[in-house]
Amino acid sequence: MGDEGVANYQVRALTRGLAVLSCFTPEAPRHGLPDLSQQVGVPKATLYRLLETLCAAEFLEQDPDGGYSLGIRAFDVGSAYLTKLDFPHSAHRALEELAAACKETASLGVLSRGEVVYVGIERAQREIGIQSQVGTRHPTHCTALGKVLLADLANDQVLQILEGSGMSALTEYTITSAATFLAELAEVRLRGYAIDNEERSYGVKCIAAPIRDAHGRVIGAISVSGPAFRVSAETLPLLIDSVTAAAAAISRRQGYRGAAHMTDSR
């Protein structure tokens, strides 16, 4: 095999390795060889050698039953990504205080490949709470975090993301019209916060506000989620004030000195 052939093989092996690692998510943290073979589209014999290499490098671990899960090196890489973001670390205390004050789940999210990714979660629920975890991905069009993150983009960028992800109706309250969604984002920009009114899950409501850096760019969002019967007309104003205050405090720590509202014109 010539130099070019070797290089092509190495690139193909790397691509397959990354595809394997991408199969592991918070919703699916363990996989067997047959499952991975089907997902990645690689014969079992070839995939087995690749899995052995990933295990040797500690990116994967093989469980006693023969299944696979992420290894310590994958954790190291993920931790390095969170360190790069910086604000999840500086926002941790504010996230804890928000959850405690509201007695609900407080979350931090960022925009990644057209989806919301949770990078921080604190739970302080009472008997009924919202369950989620760091690394979970959700659509942008039906989440308060997603609306806040998209509201900082130009409308043509928003439409491009929506075209790629689609606007599936997860409940009867989900916005499935691009025009209606753009109008919703215009309101979000004016208010400085967004609301998910049972648009992703029945019985769950969420309020989110943007986190900005020193240049005024939205680098993330913070939210409070709770059961609809607790996120009511009576409690909503207090929750909004708490979320927007937390977002403003974190933004100040990032060097932001502007107004709390979002940009109005797109």
Side-chain angles (χ1 to χ4, degrees):
M1 185 182 295
D3 291 344
E4 184 176 351
V6 171
N8 289 337
Y9 172 79
Q10 291 173 337
V11 169
R12 187 165 63 253
L14 176 59
T15 300
R16 287 174 170 174
L18 293 174
V20 168
L21 293 176
S22 297
C23 292
F24 295 87
T25 67
E27 296 78 19
R30 297 180 70 256
H31 292 280
L33 178 61
D35 177 34
L36 288 171
S37 177
Q38 183 177 12
Q39 289 196 52
V40 180
V42 175
K44 294 178 185 178
T46 302
L47 182 60
Y48 179 77
R49 293 193 296 272
L50 181 57
L51 293 173
E52 288 293 294
T53 300
L54 290 171
C55 285
E58 298 186 310
F59 279 94
L60 291 180
E61 294 176 353
Q62 188 168 22
D63 303 326
D65 63 359
Y68 294 88
S69 57
L70 291 177
I72 189 64
R73 286 292 295 135
F75 173 80
D76 291 341
V77 172
S79 298
Y81 176 74
L82 291 180
T83 300
K84 181 201 74 169
L85 288 178
D86 181 53
F87 86 85
H89 296 275
S90 63
H92 184 70
R93 182 173 179 179
L95 195 65
E96 288 182 325
E97 292 174 347
L98 179 62
C102 298
K103 296 183 173 62
E104 302 291 357
T105 298
S107 305
L108 289 174
V110 297
L111 186 64
S112 172
R113 293 182 292 174
E115 295 179 307
V116 178
V117 179
Y118 287 85
V119 295
I121 294 176
E122 287 294 331
R123 301 179 179 87
Q125 307 99 330
R126 286 161 281 181
E127 70 281 2
I128 300 176
I130 307 306
Q131 301 303 317
S132 51
Q133 53 189 320
V134 171
T136 299
R137 288 178 173 267
H138 287 310
T140 52
H141 72 287
C142 57
T143 55
L145 288 169
K147 292 178 186 178
V148 164
L149 294 168
L150 291 187
D152 193 53
L153 304 179
N155 282 346
D156 58 347
Q157 293 176 289
V158 174
L159 291 174
Q160 186 175 10
I161 289 174
L162 295 178
E163 183 178 353
S165 62
M167 301 183 70
S168 300
L170 302 185
T171 75
E172 63 183 289
Y173 306 112
T174 306
I175 298 173
T176 57
S177 161
T180 303
F181 188 74
L182 291 180
E184 173 82 358
L185 292 190
E187 291 295 321
V188 171
R189 292 170 186 135
L190 286 172
R191 293 191 307 249
Y193 63 87
I195 296 176
D196 161 11
N197 188 25
E198 300 185 65
E199 296 163 48
R200 189 183 70 82
S201 298
Y202 284 114
V204 178
K205 292 186 178 182
C206 180
I207 303 99
I211 297 170
R212 296 182 179 276
D213 65 11
H215 304 287
R217 296 173 300 215
V218 172
I219 56 174
I222 188 169
S223 71
V224 160
S225 303
F229 71 86
R230 287 205 302 251
V231 183
S232 61
E234 291 73 25
T235 62
L236 190 59
L238 177 60
L239 293 174
I240 291 172
D241 288 346
S242 298
V243 172
T244 53
I250 298 170
S251 296
R252 284 194 298 273
R253 284 196 282 273
Q254 301 305 308
Y256 181 62
R257 296 295 181 267
H261 63 78
M262 304 186 77
T263 304
D264 183 21
S265 64
R266 295 291 161 183

